[in-house]
Amino acid sequence: MNPPKSRENSITRYYIAEENLVGSVKEQKADYDLMAAVMICLGKETDSGTDLLKLLNVLLSTETGSQNKCQILEEDFHIRMTQTLESEVSLMCNLSKGVEEKGIQKGIQKGIDKGITAMILTLKELQISSDVILKQICEKFGLTEETAEMYLKEIS
């Protein structure tokens, strides 16, 4: 979804090819070319270049709401919006928002964890007693004593 600029709006296929390093064995392609990988790198909708990339950019965009997506699908791609299709687009939008929210929450928690750890380390360097540290992190971060003790034990 967020490739480097050099890969934006590209579709690349990778596949297995036969190369004889020693000898000259010739195998039928159907016997070894059993796997391919296709990498689709999206970019900005307006720069997509092909209808397929534009369609994927519209469908997978986290900035475009479901109503706008449905409108673009109808107007630009002539896809007739049925009630079922509209609900599927809406569901897909809500799913991506849920994934985004979950990621934000994880990031916030990691930040809080780092803040608590940094505070404990700093107070330990200042030779503050464990009881005072425990009390401080409970107050500053709204932790239960049990949770605060877990942080303290992790660092000790």
Side-chain angles (χ1 to χ4, degrees), residues 1-14 38-44 48 53:
M1 292 297 294
N2 297 309
K5 284 268 186 228
S6 62
R7 288 188 168 270
E8 279 185 352
N9 295 310
S10 65
I11 301 175
T12 309
R13 179 172 60 109
Y14 301 93
V38 177
M39 185 181 294
I40 301 171
C41 298
L42 302 177
K44 293 183 179 74
S48 62
L53 286 169

Side-chain angles (χ1 to χ4, degrees), residues 23-88:
S24 59
V25 174
K26 216 43 179 160
E27 194 68 47
Q28 287 187 23
K29 189 173 182 175
D31 291 339
Y32 64 82
D33 191 19
L34 304 174
M35 180 176 61
V38 177
M39 185 181 294
I40 301 171
C41 298
L42 302 177
K44 293 183 179 74
E45 283 177 41
T46 53
D47 304 336
S48 62
T50 70
D51 285 344
L52 174 61
L53 286 169
K54 184 176 180 186
L55 177 66
L56 290 172
N57 273 313
V58 168
L59 286 173
L60 300 173
S61 169
T62 55
E63 282 100 45
T64 308
S66 65
Q67 283 187 322
N68 287 347
K69 286 181 183 184
C70 289
Q71 184 179 352
I72 293 168
L73 291 173
E74 255 186 332
E75 292 174 4
D76 294 1
F77 297 99
H78 310 290
I79 298 172
R80 195 172 68 81
M81 284 292 120
T82 63
Q83 201 168 10
T84 304
L85 194 52
E86 280 185 34
S87 70
E88 292 293 326

